[in-house]
Amino acid sequence: MRDAPVHSPSLAADDDIHDVIIIGGGINGCGIAMDAAGRGLKVLLCEQDDLASATSSRSSKLIHGGLRYLEFYQFRLVGKALAEREALLRNAPHIIWPMRFRLPHRPHLRPAWMIRLGLFLYDHLARRETLPGSRGLRFDQTSPLKPEIVRGFEYSDAWVDDARLVVLTARAAAQRGARILPRTACVDARRADDLWQVTLEDRQSGQRRSYRSRALVNAGGPWAADLLESVIDTPIRRPLRLVKGSHIVVPRLHAGEESYILQNEDNRIVFVIPYEQDYSLIGTTDVDYQGDPAAAELSTEEGNYLLHVVNNHFRQQLTRRNILWSYAGVRALFDGEDGAAQAASRDYLLDVHAQHGHPPLLSILGGKITTYRRLAEEATDQLCELLHSPARAWTREATLPGGDFRDQQTLLADLQKLYPWLPDATARRFTRSYGTLTHELLNGCRSMDDMGRHFGADLYAREVHYLIQTEWATTAQDVLWRRSKLGLHIRSSEAAVLQDFMDIRSKWRPT
């Protein structure tokens, strides 16, 4: 048994009883918070760092069925993800949009007819409402690929701003009554009679506060097992396998808007994705990982591997000097220790620990960003059943904040008409980051003078204020790398000035 928690003089108690306390502010935790709050449950979510500060901001930025999973006969997962792809495209058109993917055919791959059959399955495993189907391609001298690659295929998936998806989902939860507490760690959780007694610690002030809830959700992602062992004191019934995926960002490799999916001789997949106008995002790797997930970073071997795969396909050759930025995320997969990391399932498991007369614990194991809404719906179904609070599922047609418009081009034209003083590049960025929330951000502005201090790149004080007040931003890193990707464009000296500015104004962050 654990020792009793240390009760410091700063420990305070919140006598309100929540229906659900969720540990983890990644996409799964925020998705559950949004769904549960929308069904009338009283929800509190805590996250030890910033929202989306770990795995959920370190993905390949794709909403996809997972074409490569067909090789491992994961038809159920692919079909489920493809169905979710359509719902997400409707619900968040500002941060999710269609993208065409090109698959070059090389001699080591399966025969062209077999790949064509796989793409036919990919087109039809779920209803396709908006995206065009797959087709064969012939590459000519205008292709960015090496001249010996003359044949390939093209199919549809979608791109997502993963960190903004998390933040906007959290905002939707808060709008429905959920309490969102970033930079707040759960340091103890134990059953006391028929309730959970949960101790949370503010990571900035050190203050501790006690809360009670009828159910507890462990959505800690790669920390889920550690939470069970060291905080919740509950047996780990399904061992988790931690797999690291690393990405690199280089100067733009090709002019077109399509992405490339490259299959290496070892059967691993590498994507080359147009990124933030001027760059290409390349990834990912699949490497078993041990250690603190927050410390994960690109290794020399991973960087060399990604460059090798790209150089085998593209005319333009890359070296390590071309790597402008890199990041690595750790995924927690639940299907054991055997087999190659890239073959491990990306499906999810909802593990319920509910003994008669004791408050339930729901642990979220596995999952991928594409299926987060479905996972949240199933998790909330179980919570409602366990808490005897029946309520209908509702999120499949739920538009995320800022997503209430027809298409990006129409919204961009509207913004340019309403705010003719706004630079075109800024209007385009606001369209694909904030959608119709841009009107809220720019409320009262009549010219660029009203945008306030310029910090560099495309960032002004008005936007920083907005992110502090409405999106829980506290640090320059929150603004530059998660609420936006302006960190790719801003100088380190400018980022330091921004941090000084935010240190003064972070008292305005929402609670």
Side-chain angles (χ1 to χ4, degrees):
M1 291 292 292
R2 297 168 301 174
D3 295 333
V6 176
H7 291 269
S8 69
S10 61
L11 184 68
D14 186 323
D15 289 333
D16 287 342
I17 297 175
H18 291 80
D19 292 308
V20 183
I21 290 179
I22 301 167
I23 307 172
I27 189 56
N28 290 334
C30 290
I32 295 169
M34 172 182 165
D35 196 329
R39 299 200 211 186
L41 298 181
K42 185 175 183 179
V43 177
L44 182 150
L45 179 144
C46 66
E47 160 57 43
Q48 64 180 346
D49 208 318
D50 184 30
L51 298 173
S53 58
T55 309
S56 292
S57 64
R58 302 177 187 177
S59 74
S60 297
K61 325 294 184 191
L62 299 180
I63 298 295
H64 65 141
L67 180 63
R68 68 189 177 105
Y69 303 143
L70 293 178
E71 295 242 7
F72 306 115
Y73 308 107
Q74 296 181 24
F75 301 112
R76 176 180 171 274
L77 171 63
V78 174
K80 182 164 56 178
L82 289 173
E84 284 301 295
R85 184 185 64 182
E86 294 288 339
L88 298 180
L89 280 165
R90 290 193 305 269
N91 295 346
H94 44 338
I95 58 169
I96 302 174
W97 60 86
M99 182 172 280
R100 293 290 279 178
F101 287 79
R102 291 185 172 179
L103 169 61
H105 189 261
R106 297 175 65 209
H108 68 274
L109 298 181
R110 295 180 184 275
W113 67 266
M114 190 176 293
I115 294 175
R116 193 72 190 89
L117 178 60
L119 288 170
F120 178 84
L121 282 173
Y122 200 71
D123 284 341
H124 294 91
L125 275 173
R127 182 180 178 184
R128 186 165 38 84
E129 301 173 15
T130 58
L131 298 175
S134 59
R135 65 187 183 108
L137 291 176
R138 291 285 179 179
F139 299 116
D140 58 22
Q141 67 274 11
T142 65
S143 168
L145 299 172
K146 287 187 169 181
E148 62 267 27
I149 302 176
V150 297
R151 185 176 184 183
F153 304 89
E154 188 176 81
Y155 67 95
S156 293
D157 264 322
W159 188 93
V160 61
D161 187 331
D162 52 4
R164 290 208 57 74
L165 178 65
V166 176
V167 170
L168 292 176
T169 302
R171 181 164 175 178
Q175 288 173 345
R176 290 162 176 82
R179 188 173 183 186
I180 309 296
L181 300 178
R183 291 185 166 83
T184 303
C186 179
V187 296
D188 189 79
R190 59 186 63 221
R191 292 177 172 97
D193 299 323
D194 58 347
L195 295 173
W196 281 99
Q197 187 82 25
V198 179
T199 303
L200 304 184
E201 180 181 273
D202 186 310
R203 296 287 296 272
Q204 295 172 302
S205 69
Q207 182 180 17
R208 291 187 173 186
R209 186 176 293 273
S210 179
Y211 297 87
R212 293 184 294 168
S213 72
R214 299 168 62 204
L216 184 67
V217 174
N218 171 11
W223 287 274
D226 288 344
L227 282 167
L228 289 172
E229 184 176 26
S230 62
V231 175
I232 306 174
D233 194 21
T234 297
I236 301 171
R237 301 193 294 185
R238 297 295 295 260
L240 292 179
R241 179 178 185 174
L242 299 185
V243 174
K244 180 178 68 164
S246 296
H247 299 76
I248 59 176
V249 174
V250 302
R252 186 76 172 253
L253 266 175
H254 65 287
E257 293 303 314
E258 67 279 349
S259 292
Y260 286 82
I261 174 172
L262 314 177
Q263 186 163 10
N264 196 30
E265 285 87 348
D266 61 5
N267 290 325
R268 295 184 180 183
I269 292 294
V270 171
F271 291 102
V272 179
I273 303 167
Y275 191 59
E276 297 297 314
Q277 287 77 56
D278 301 325
Y279 309 99
S280 292
L281 174 64
I282 300 170
T284 182
T285 58
D286 284 298
V287 180
D288 284 310
Y289 183 80
Q290 294 181 337
D292 181 3
E297 60 183 16
L298 175 81
S299 69
T300 300
E301 294 76 16
E302 288 175 298
N304 290 339
Y305 177 84
L306 295 173
L307 293 173
H308 170 75
V309 174
V310 172
N311 287 339
N312 278 347
H313 289 81
F314 280 80
R315 297 174 190 259
Q316 182 178 337
Q317 298 291 283
L318 299 173
T319 69
R320 293 193 66 86
R321 287 178 295 180
N322 297 117
I323 299 176
L324 304 175
W325 180 50
S326 66
Y327 63 88
V330 177
R331 298 180 292 274
L333 310 178
F334 67 85
D335 60 345
E337 301 295 331
D338 298 329
Q342 69 265 25
S345 174
R346 270 55 175 177
D347 210 346
Y348 56 82
L349 176 70
L350 307 180
D351 185 29
V352 178
H353 191 276
Q355 298 174 340
H356 180 70
H358 295 284
L361 167 66
L362 175 61
S363 290
I364 310 302
L365 309 178
K368 59 200 296 279
I369 198 166
T370 305
T371 53
Y372 90 91
R373 190 211 62 83
R374 176 91 172 258
L375 180 157
E377 183 175 275
E378 293 178 12
T380 308
D381 285 345
Q382 292 206 26
L383 289 169
C384 287
E385 181 178 348
L386 291 165
L387 297 176
H388 308 291
S389 300
R392 295 179 61 182
W394 65 281
T395 60
R396 185 166 180 80
E397 307 297 331
T399 300
L400 287 181
D404 51 337
F405 60 92
R406 189 176 69 185
D407 59 72
Q408 287 196 12
Q409 288 303 313
T410 302
L411 177 60
L412 176 60
D414 290 342
L415 294 179
Q416 290 170 326
K417 182 178 179 180
L418 286 169
Y419 313 104
W421 47 268
L422 197 65
D424 286 347
T426 307
R428 285 193 294 271
R429 183 170 69 83
F430 284 2
T431 298
R432 63 185 182 89
S433 293
Y434 302 107
T436 56
L437 292 175
T438 302
H439 303 304
E440 187 178 281
L441 191 161
L442 296 178
N443 183 37
C445 288
R446 299 290 182 268
S447 70
M448 287 303 295
D449 290 340
D450 294 328
M451 296 292 285
R453 183 174 185 172
H454 182 221
F455 292 102
D458 187 33
L459 184 65
Y460 291 84
R462 168 60 68 114
E463 184 175 3
V464 176
H465 282 302
Y466 179 80
L467 294 175
I468 292 171
Q469 292 175 314
T470 68
E471 294 194 2
W472 300 277
T474 300
T475 71
Q477 291 281 314
D478 299 347
V479 171
L480 296 176
W481 295 106
R482 286 180 286 277
R483 306 310 184 277
S484 74
K485 293 297 180 288
L486 293 175
L488 287 166
H489 304 276
I490 205 165
R491 293 192 295 265
S492 58
S493 59
E494 294 169 330
V497 171
L498 171 63
Q499 184 59 64
D500 290 341
F501 178 85
M502 294 192 69
D503 286 342
I504 298 171
R505 289 160 175 79
S506 62
K507 64 183 179 181
W508 295 345
R509 70 184 188 277
T511 59

